């Protein structure tokens, strides 16, 4: 099914390339990426005169944009993976407890989620990062906490539906503990929805981190991410468009690939969505005609 979907294959290939660049190549080119050569300021792209590192041009300080993108990939991917991991794990677990027990436990957890959800995530991140020192760790914590209500509500809704099924009642009648029912009977059925949502949230977190850096509240040099590169190049759009366009294009492609792959996973598990990605196999006309 995966091979039969060109969009899913292309998206997975792009994300795999980003991961390889982020965790294998990036540590090897950090020094070269941050090396400033004023003589190469705004070196135009698509030329190999100064080496393959400058194929996408150079920024305002003569740093190679291609290597900056690779180093920025590591930062952006780390923030996305850990922020989504924190919010998905905590929200998934709390949602299971809230949906299974209901009552006052459900009310308390929902009110906490409402408080977090009421304040816009971007505004909360702006306030926290303005008070604290902007860093990768603080950015992960802020983005992770602000996304918890999304997973909590999804997990709670799914749990409330699954807990009423017959096999849960049978397990309860056989004396299974609440912990066993939640972890062995309900959690595996809720997990696919959380996984699909997490793939969608990867794109949202990457865009949120880029937005914060673009506003000047996110990361600061020497740390670099794609949002910082867009922010650095916005003042030179007329004279050196490539400084901001290339990192912006990478952000769009990465977010789009994560969305497409998450939709593919949903299509695999939901037959009603399968027509978006999978084509019906062609019938062999000659064989059918002979029969």
């Amino acid at each position: 099914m995966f091979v039969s979907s060109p969009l899913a294959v292309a998206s997975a290939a792009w994300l795999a390339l980003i991961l390889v660049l982020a965790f294998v190549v990036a540590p090897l080119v950090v020094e070269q990426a941050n090396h400033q050569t004023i003589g190469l300021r705004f070196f135009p792209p698509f030329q190999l005169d100064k080496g393959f590192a400058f194929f996408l041009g150079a920024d305002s300080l003569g740093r190679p944009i291609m290597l900056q993108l690779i180093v920025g990939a590591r930062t952006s991917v780390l923030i996305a993976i850990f922020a989504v991991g924190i919010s998905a794990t905590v929200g998934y677990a709390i949602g299971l407890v809230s949906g299974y027990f209901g009552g006052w436990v459900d009310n308390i957890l929902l009110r906490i989620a409402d408080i977090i959800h009421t304040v816009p995530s971007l505004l909360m991140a702006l306030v926290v990062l303005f008070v604290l020192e902007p860093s990768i760790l603080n950015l992960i914590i802020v983005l992770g906490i602000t996304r918890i209500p999304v997973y909590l509500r999804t997990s709670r809704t799914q749990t409330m539906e699954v807990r009423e099924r017959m096999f849960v009642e049978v397990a309860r009648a056989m004396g299974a503990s609440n912990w066993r029912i939640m972890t062995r009977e309900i959690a595996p059925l809720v997990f696919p929805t959380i996984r699909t949502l997490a793939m969608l949230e990867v794109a949202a977190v990457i865009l949120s981190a880029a937005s914060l850096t673009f506003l000047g509240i996110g990361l600061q040099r020497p740390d670099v991410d794609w949002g910082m590169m867009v922010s650095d190049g916005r003042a030179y759009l007329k004279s050196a468009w490539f400084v901001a366009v290339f990192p912006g294009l990478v952000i769009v492609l990465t977010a789009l690939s994560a969305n497409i792959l998450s939709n593919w996973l949903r299509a695999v598990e939901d037959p009603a969505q399968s027509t978006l990605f999978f084509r019906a196999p062609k019938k062999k006309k000659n064989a059918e005609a002979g029969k």
Side-chain angles (χ1 to χ4, degrees):
M1 288 189 297
F2 179 71
V3 176
S4 64
S5 176
L7 282 176
V9 172
S11 300
W14 174 260
L15 293 177
L17 174 63
I18 293 297
L19 290 175
V20 170
L21 293 176
F23 296 108
V24 178
V25 181
L28 304 177
V29 299
V30 173
E31 293 185 4
Q32 188 178 357
N34 292 324
H35 181 70
Q36 301 177 9
T37 306
I38 303 300
L40 296 178
R41 187 172 184 264
F42 296 136
F43 184 77
F46 311 123
Q47 298 185 33
L48 295 175
D49 298 346
K50 303 300 180 180
F52 187 71
F54 289 90
F55 182 71
L56 296 182
D59 62 9
S60 59
L61 295 178
R63 294 171 295 205
I65 293 178
M66 179 180 291
L67 300 187
Q68 287 277 302
L69 286 173
I70 294 174
V71 174
R74 181 178 60 175
T75 305
S76 297
V77 169
L78 282 175
I79 292 173
I81 290 177
F82 282 101
V84 170
I86 292 173
S87 57
T89 303
V90 175
Y92 178 34
I94 296 177
L96 283 173
V97 174
S98 177
Y100 181 79
F101 289 104
W104 63 270
V105 175
D106 185 32
N107 290 331
I108 292 177
L109 294 177
L110 278 183
R111 297 296 79 78
I112 295 175
D114 289 338
I115 293 174
I116 298 176
H117 191 68
T118 300
V119 182
S121 58
L122 190 59
L123 178 60
M124 182 184 295
L126 283 171
V127 174
V128 174
L129 292 176
F130 182 78
V131 175
L132 301 177
E133 178 184 357
S135 65
I136 296 177
L137 179 60
N138 290 337
L139 196 58
I140 290 174
I141 293 174
V142 169
L143 293 176
I145 292 175
T146 56
R147 310 304 296 181
I148 287 177
V150 177
Y151 299 94
L152 191 156
R153 291 182 177 278
T154 303
S155 177
R156 171 182 175 272
T157 302
Q158 291 284 311
T159 301
M160 292 178 68
E161 189 272 330
V162 174
R163 74 177 182 181
E164 303 298 331
R165 296 185 182 180
M166 183 60 67
F167 66 88
V168 176
E169 296 295 333
V170 171
R172 189 177 291 113
M174 294 178 63
S177 64
N178 292 328
W179 172 257
R180 180 180 177 82
I181 292 175
M182 283 192 297
T183 57
R184 303 293 291 274
E185 306 293 341
I186 298 178
L189 296 180
V190 178
F191 177 75
T193 302
I194 299 298
R195 181 193 60 198
T196 303
L197 180 60
M199 289 294 297
L200 292 171
E201 285 292 297
V202 166
V205 169
I206 290 176
L207 293 175
S208 297
S211 300
L212 289 171
T213 306
F214 182 81
L215 295 173
I217 307 296
L219 299 179
Q220 305 294 328
R221 295 283 183 178
D223 295 325
V224 60
D225 68 349
W226 295 331
M228 179 183 295
M229 296 181 66
V230 175
S231 179
D232 291 343
R234 61 179 173 174
Y236 311 107
L237 283 174
K238 292 184 179 181
S239 58
W241 56 270
F242 50 88
V243 178
V245 169
F246 286 141
L249 183 61
V250 170
I251 293 173
V252 172
L253 289 176
T254 304
L256 182 62
S257 297
N259 284 333
I260 291 175
L261 196 58
S262 66
N263 288 332
W264 179 85
L265 290 172
R266 184 178 63 179
V268 170
E269 297 164 353
D270 185 2
Q273 303 286 334
S274 61
T275 56
L276 297 176
F277 286 88
F278 310 124
R279 298 178 180 177
K282 296 181 179 179
K283 297 181 180 180
K284 296 181 179 180
K285 296 182 180 180
N286 296 332
E288 293 294 333
K291 295 181 180 180

